């Protein structure tokens, strides 16, 4: 019997992570495997600059369902996603709900699926920052609490799951689907318009991205951070693609250093063209630290914690904190002493999507799709 899998997407990182999974499912189905899927877009990122271009560039098919939840508070988005996905499942249940990453859509659909007795698989299970002030950390914990099958990006994540009580048989260390997408598309990276208009050249500019509340929700703090970056860049142009959340605060900043160039959010291929050629990337995004590590680009993370420690212990990333005062010393280290050399973490080799689909097709309990030790039906009372 054909296994029907719901694939949940809602925000930019999800699009990047599900592309290789869909490609692997297509390949297995073409080879005769009994597997089918429904792509469900929650609409959590409703701005076409943050979603539409990714579908086109990464060959992701049009969604089977788009919940179009749009903007709102955490609770408003969660509720709207749950209601929309529940309606889909009540019309036709899938055999498995596959969620990726740690956005609101991930958590909301995982809980909704389990309440309707649809098993859940979590790609990037076990990732932890330890920082409960981050909405993403709550999403990770809640999602993993109701997950049946875990696909992890690192042995660190696998160990976190074992420590939390997840059975070893439910954990699959498969690698990183975000890196699958990066490696599959690296030859297609293309210069954005700002490459010519700003006169950029290889290793001759800095890329900045920020969207975390600690960095962008206060005008004064954001202004100081950008001032420190601009004044410490030693004249290099700083390209700053602005996330819609950041743009709201940036509108209140009276003046930016002249070498900071604010640009619109960039499509995947154009953004990574810049990252690959930058002198350094300064970010608060976990995913960008992974991409920079694989491309061997120095990376400075403006956060106090990271859920991707392998980018620091193995890769090119340094976790520097949120105090703008640390930016100048770290950039001085880059310019005067050079940056550390990193390497690529294990299994970040472009085949994670294939491993995930092969594992799904070989699950030990296909009849119920439940992880070991978890009953598909309530245990009768005695």
């Amino acid at each position: 019997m054909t296994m029907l899998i719901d694939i949940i997407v809602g925000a930019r990182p999800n699009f990047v992570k599900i592309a290789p999974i869909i490609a692997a499912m297509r390949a297995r189905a073409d080879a005769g495997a009994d597997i089918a899927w429904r792509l469900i877009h929650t609409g959590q990122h409703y701005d076409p600059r943050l979603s539409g271009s990714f579908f086109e560039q990464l060959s992701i098919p049009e969604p089977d369902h788009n919940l179009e939840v749009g903007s709102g508070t955490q609770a408003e988005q969660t509720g709207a996603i749950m209601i929309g996905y529940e309606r889909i499942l009540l019309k036709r249940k899938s055999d498995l709900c596959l969620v990726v990453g740690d956005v609101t859509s991930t958590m909301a659909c995982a809980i909704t699926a389990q309440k309707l007795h649809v098993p859940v698989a979590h790609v990037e299970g076990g990732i932890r920052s330890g920082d409960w002030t981050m909405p993403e950390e709550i999403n990770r914990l809640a999602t993993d609490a109701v997950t049946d099958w875990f696909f992890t990006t690192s042995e660190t994540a696998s160990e976190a799951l074992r420590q939390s009580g997840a059975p070893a048989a439910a954990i699959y260390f498969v690698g990183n689907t975000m890196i699958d997408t990066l490696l599959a598309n690296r030859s297609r990276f293309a210069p954005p318009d700002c490459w010519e208009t700003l006169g950029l050249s290889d290793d001759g500019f800095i890329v900045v991205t920020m969207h975390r509340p600690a960095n962008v929700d206060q005008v004064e703090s954001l202004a100081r951070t950008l001032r420190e970056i601009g004044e410490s860049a030693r004249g290099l142009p700083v390209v700053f693609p602005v996330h819609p959340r950041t743009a709201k605060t940036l509108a209140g900043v009276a003046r930016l250093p002249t070498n900071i160039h604010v640009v619109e959010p960039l499509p995947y291929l154009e953004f990574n063209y810049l990252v690959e050629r930058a002198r350094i990337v300064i970010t608060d995004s976990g995913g960008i630290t992974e991409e920079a590590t694989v491309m061997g680009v120095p990376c400075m993370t403006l956060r106090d914690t990271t859920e991707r420690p392998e980018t620091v212990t193995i890769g090119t990333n340094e976790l520097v904190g949120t105090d703008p005062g640390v930016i100048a010393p770290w950039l001085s280290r880059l310019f005067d002493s050079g940056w550390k050399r990193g390497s690529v973490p294990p299994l970040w080799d472009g085949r994670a999507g294939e491993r995930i689909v092969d594992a799904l097709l070989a699950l030990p309990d296909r009849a119920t799709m439940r992880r070991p030790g978890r009953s598909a039906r309530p245990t009768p009372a005695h």
Side-chain angles (χ1 to χ4, degrees):
M1 188 174 74
T2 300
M3 175 170 54
L4 176 63
I5 298 176
D6 284 341
I7 303 174
I8 309 299
V9 296
R12 173 199 179 276
N14 297 161
F15 311 140
V16 179
K17 293 166 188 174
I18 60 100
I21 298 173
I22 291 177
M25 285 185 178
R26 280 175 173 156
R28 299 300 183 269
D30 290 344
D34 289 331
I35 189 169
W37 59 91
R38 296 187 300 198
L39 183 59
I40 297 171
H41 184 2
T42 68
Q44 180 181 335
H45 270 179
Y46 55 96
D47 189 323
R49 297 169 299 175
L50 295 179
S51 60
S53 66
F54 288 86
F55 278 79
E56 178 182 351
Q57 291 192 344
L58 303 181
S59 299
I60 301 171
E62 285 295 312
D64 296 283
H65 300 276
N66 191 329
L67 305 184
E68 299 182 339
V69 300
S71 61
T73 67
Q74 295 276 337
E76 288 168 340
Q77 283 193 327
T78 299
I81 292 166
M82 285 181 160
I83 292 168
Y85 185 41
E86 181 183 58
R87 287 173 178 159
I88 292 170
L89 290 178
L90 289 174
K91 288 182 179 179
R92 184 189 178 190
K93 280 190 181 181
S94 58
D95 296 301
L96 181 75
C97 173
L98 182 75
V99 295
V100 297
D102 53 20
V103 300
T104 300
S105 301
T106 307
M107 174 270 296
C109 288
I111 292 173
T112 302
Q114 282 291 8
K115 287 190 174 184
L116 291 175
H117 314 300
V118 174
V120 173
H122 184 197
V123 177
E124 289 195 352
I127 286 178
R128 300 287 184 269
S129 71
D131 182 358
W132 282 38
T133 67
M134 294 177 60
E136 295 87 348
E137 185 74 353
I138 306 305
N139 292 340
R140 295 175 198 123
L141 292 164
T143 301
D144 284 344
V146 299
T147 289
D148 293 283
W149 306 98
F150 305 91
F151 298 108
T152 66
T153 60
S154 69
E155 185 54 40
T156 301
S158 296
E159 179 60 21
L161 289 169
R162 288 191 290 267
Q163 291 292 326
S164 72
I171 302 168
Y172 296 79
F173 173 31
V174 295
N176 192 331
T177 60
M178 178 169 277
I179 302 309
D180 289 14
T181 298
L182 183 78
L183 297 178
N185 291 281
R186 197 169 183 179
S187 64
R188 301 175 57 231
F189 292 170
D193 292 341
C194 65
W195 182 264
E196 292 292 338
T197 58
L198 298 179
L200 304 178
S201 60
D202 288 5
D203 208 35
F205 62 97
I206 293 170
V207 171
V208 171
T209 77
M210 288 187 288
H211 70 282
R212 304 282 177 187
N215 290 322
V216 306
D217 278 5
Q218 301 297 322
V219 171
E220 185 177 330
S221 174
L222 178 60
R224 185 184 171 203
T225 297
L226 293 173
R227 183 172 65 249
E228 291 285 342
I229 292 172
E231 293 176 354
S232 305
R234 300 197 180 179
L236 291 182
V238 177
V239 183
F240 184 21
V242 176
H243 188 281
R245 178 191 185 102
T246 309
K248 295 177 182 178
T249 309
L250 189 63
V253 176
R255 185 174 60 183
L256 291 173
T258 57
N259 60 330
I260 290 186
H261 304 280
V262 174
V263 300
E264 293 288 313
L266 296 173
Y268 180 83
L269 299 177
E270 288 79 358
F271 177 73
N272 277 299
Y273 184 94
L274 291 183
V275 171
E276 186 177 33
R277 290 159 177 80
R279 184 71 174 272
I280 190 170
V281 178
I282 302 174
T283 188
D284 57 16
S285 163
I288 291 172
T289 69
E290 295 175 317
E291 293 163 336
T293 280
V294 170
M295 291 189 282
V297 177
C299 184
M300 182 191 307
T301 296
L302 302 178
R303 287 171 51 187
D304 298 314
T305 60
T306 180
E307 63 281 0
R308 295 166 171 85
E310 61 275 10
T311 64
V312 178
T313 58
I314 299 174
T316 58
N317 184 31
E318 293 284 8
L319 192 67
V320 305
T322 57
D323 178 3
V326 306
I327 292 170
W330 278 102
L331 284 178
S332 292
R333 177 184 299 190
L334 170 75
F335 293 124
D336 298 333
S337 307
W339 205 257
K340 66 178 180 180
R341 295 181 63 86
S343 58
V344 178
L347 295 190
W348 290 20
D349 57 3
R351 299 188 61 192
E354 297 174 20
R355 295 187 188 102
I356 289 168
V357 175
D358 288 344
L360 291 173
L361 289 169
L363 283 176
D365 191 6
R366 284 285 300 279
T368 63
M369 298 291 288
R370 293 287 169 173
R371 88 184 191 198
R374 181 172 286 175
S375 173
R377 300 179 183 86
T379 302
H382 293 289

